[in-house]
Amino acid sequence: MGMTIGEKIIARAAKVDEVHAGEIHTIEVDRLMSNDGTTHLTIDMYHNDLKHPKIADKDKIVFIMDHNVPAENPKTAQAHRKMRNFAKEHGIALYEGKGVCHQIMVENYVCPGEFIMGADSHTCTYGALGAFGTGIGCTDFLYAMVTGQSWVLVPETIRFELTGKLRKGVYARDLMLTIIGMVGANGCNYKVMEFAGEGAHNLDIDERLVLCNLAVEAGAKTGIVEPDEKVAEYLESRGRKAENMFVSDEDAVFEKVYHINLDEIEPVVARPHQIDDVVPADGVGDVRIDEAFLGSCNNGRIEEFRVAASILKGKKVSDHVRFIIAPASNEVYIQALDEGLIDIFLDAGAMVMNSNCSVCWGSCQGVIGEGEVLISTGTRNFKGRAGHPDSFVYLGSAATVTASAIAGKIVTAKEDEE
């Protein structure tokens, strides 16, 4: 029996010839990532709950401060200090003020075929480069940090066979929200979402990051795009080698296969308060907004910034809208500066933040109040995600968010042009 991409990666990590869905294996973890959301809790357990604390391999661990940066209160400041001190004491790589954790990992670390665990649910992002990334809690992170190992129940794989190309004005975010709307927020619980076919290979790396990042919003263990020469080129441009470029065997077993024509995808939004309540963006109705957000580990990269700037150029943000923009990393920020995109944003009346989770996290920047409406490129829209529990979060593409910021209500970029 053949193996899927996910099964091949697990087999490599488990150092066995083959694995299949339903089996439990002990694995060697290739990398571990933790951010300021929970790292201080892991550090406390390390000091208080272990008789003989040790780090298995410091070079496999990365600490990244991104959720509340810079610190917004003394409690966060203390948690950050704890991270700094622990990282310095143990020689662990530490990033502070450099960007969102998943973007930092993709830019600097992730390689195909790796099994990576991160103390953040959107670690599934790494599948865009052909890796198996999955989120874990503090206890599992601590165990992996001190032993170098973990365990995994091999998931079933659901394959999404993509054909065609996205039309102009339609984006990977529209595609993935459409998929989540189709399968449901629990439609891929503890599954691998495998994206393959001609349509998948037509997507660039930034677009693949969007798909894999939101896989967890369908309940998936991870999302993986079948790696190809675009992955090899991306890695080589960053001084990394494209090894272990696994693809599924012809006789691999999938729980289900969906066939999706990218030519048929249209702009959509997810309505409050469920990410799978997905409707066409031009049919959402007359929804007045108070705030718009462009950023996050899902949609804060240079391609999204270029789209937003092309729509904003020569226009102004509505006088009753706060448009907050946060680059996913300093690399994105610098590139946007070099291309003049930041000038366009500021001239239009947007507010450009430092590289961090910002509004998506709903804790330190752009928090919305009772009854307010936000349209966002963030990852989630459940009650209270961006502030008051009686506020409303819609999710859309960078184009839809930007056009809405100008119009003062939810519209598509096409409607804005009209």
Side-chain angles (χ1 to χ4, degrees):
M1 186 189 300
M3 290 190 288
T4 65
I5 300 173
E7 288 167 348
K8 289 183 178 182
I9 295 174
I10 293 172
R12 174 184 172 274
K15 295 180 170 55
V16 297
D17 291 335
E18 63 180 57
V19 305
H20 297 288
E23 299 173 353
I24 296 175
H25 289 272
T26 298
I27 60 167
E28 296 286 332
V29 181
D30 289 293
R31 299 187 193 280
L32 286 163
M33 184 282 299
S34 188
N35 60 45
D36 55 320
T38 59
T39 303
H40 57 291
L41 303 176
T42 301
I43 293 171
D44 286 344
M45 289 191 293
Y46 179 88
H47 288 307
N48 299 330
D49 300 337
L50 300 181
K51 291 183 178 179
H52 304 289
K54 62 180 178 62
I55 303 292
D57 187 344
K58 66 178 181 60
D59 294 328
K60 289 186 176 182
I61 306 170
V62 183
F63 283 177
I64 302 172
M65 297 184 197
D66 65 350
H67 274 51
N68 294 65
V69 178
E72 85 289 8
N73 61 42
K75 183 177 179 181
T76 297
Q78 179 61 26
H80 286 178
R81 177 184 293 181
K82 192 173 291 187
M83 283 183 72
R84 292 187 203 102
N85 290 345
F86 190 87
K88 184 176 180 180
E89 177 185 354
H90 296 280
I92 294 170
L94 174 71
Y95 292 79
E96 180 174 5
K98 301 294 177 62
V100 183
C101 59
H102 306 306
Q103 185 70 17
I104 295 295
M105 291 295 292
V106 168
E107 289 175 357
N108 297 284
Y109 293 99
V110 178
C111 290
E114 291 185 331
F115 196 103
I116 304 173
M117 289 182 159
D120 186 277
S121 57
H122 293 103
T123 302
C124 49
T125 306
Y126 312 155
L129 297 182
F132 192 119
T134 192
I136 54 175
C138 294
T139 304
D140 285 332
F141 189 94
L142 177 66
Y143 183 85
M145 185 170 72
V146 301
T147 67
Q149 297 182 326
S150 190
W151 66 274
V152 63
L153 171 65
V154 182
E156 297 276 1
T157 294
I158 297 177
R159 184 176 171 102
F160 293 82
E161 190 75 26
L162 308 181
T163 57
K165 291 183 178 181
L166 294 172
R167 293 177 287 113
K168 183 179 180 181
V170 182
Y171 302 92
R173 182 146 169 109
D174 296 310
L175 168 61
M176 194 56 187
L177 287 176
T178 297
I179 289 173
I180 295 171
M182 177 179 67
V183 302
N186 296 308
C188 297
N189 280 356
Y190 205 87
K191 313 296 182 185
V192 174
M193 296 179 76
E194 178 181 306
F195 303 95
E198 168 209 357
H201 297 301
N202 285 335
L203 301 174
D204 64 27
I205 299 302
D206 281 1
E207 291 173 317
R208 299 177 194 191
L209 289 166
V210 172
L211 300 190
C212 293
N213 174 270
L214 285 182
V216 70
E217 306 309 328
K221 181 71 170 175
T222 196
I224 305 175
V225 178
E226 185 177 72
D228 57 12
E229 69 279 355
K230 290 182 180 178
V231 171
E233 290 169 3
Y234 180 88
L235 292 168
E236 288 167 9
S237 72
R238 293 176 174 276
R240 307 203 295 274
K241 293 182 179 180
E243 300 174 334
N244 301 311
M245 302 263 284
F246 297 128
V247 298
S248 291
D249 294 326
E250 288 187 6
D251 58 343
V253 176
F254 300 101
E255 182 180 277
K256 190 179 294 185
V257 178
Y258 289 94
H259 296 272
I260 298 175
N261 184 351
L262 303 193
D263 298 304
E264 299 174 356
I265 303 300
E266 60 181 333
V268 296
V269 296
R271 297 184 293 197
H273 300 282
Q274 293 84 31
I275 195 168
D276 57 0
D277 184 8
V278 177
V279 297
D282 58 7
V284 73
D286 190 15
V287 180
R288 185 182 190 273
I289 65 170
D290 301 284
E291 184 169 294
F293 172 63
L294 172 60
S296 85
C297 57
N298 189 255
N299 239 216
R301 286 170 280 273
I302 195 65
E303 289 297 332
E304 287 89 34
F305 278 34
R306 288 169 179 158
V307 168
S310 70
I311 296 169
L312 266 182
K313 191 170 185 179
K315 298 180 181 178
K316 294 290 184 182
V317 172
S318 172
D319 58 10
H320 71 260
V321 173
R322 290 109 50 195
F323 189 12
I324 297 175
I325 299 175
S329 71
N330 283 359
E331 180 178 310
V332 174
Y333 204 146
I334 291 169
Q335 188 170 354
L337 280 167
D338 289 343
E339 295 183 16
L341 308 184
I342 302 300
D343 291 343
I344 294 172
F345 298 155
L346 296 177
D347 288 344
M351 294 179 277
V352 180
M353 303 289 106
N354 58 301
S355 304
N356 75 120
C357 293
S358 192
V359 176
C360 179
W361 173 235
S363 179
C364 62
Q365 292 179 346
V367 174
I368 55 176
E370 182 177 5
E372 289 195 312
V373 176
L374 163 72
I375 185 163
S376 170
T377 63
T379 55
R380 290 175 174 150
N381 66 340
F382 56 74
K383 269 181 170 287
R385 173 64 175 183
H388 197 281
D390 291 325
S391 59
F392 304 87
V393 180
Y394 290 79
L395 302 178
S397 71
T400 297
V401 165
T402 305
S404 301
I406 296 168
K409 62 180 182 179
I410 297 179
V411 297
T412 64
K414 182 179 179 181
E415 288 177 301
D416 180 60
E417 290 172 2
E418 295 172 352

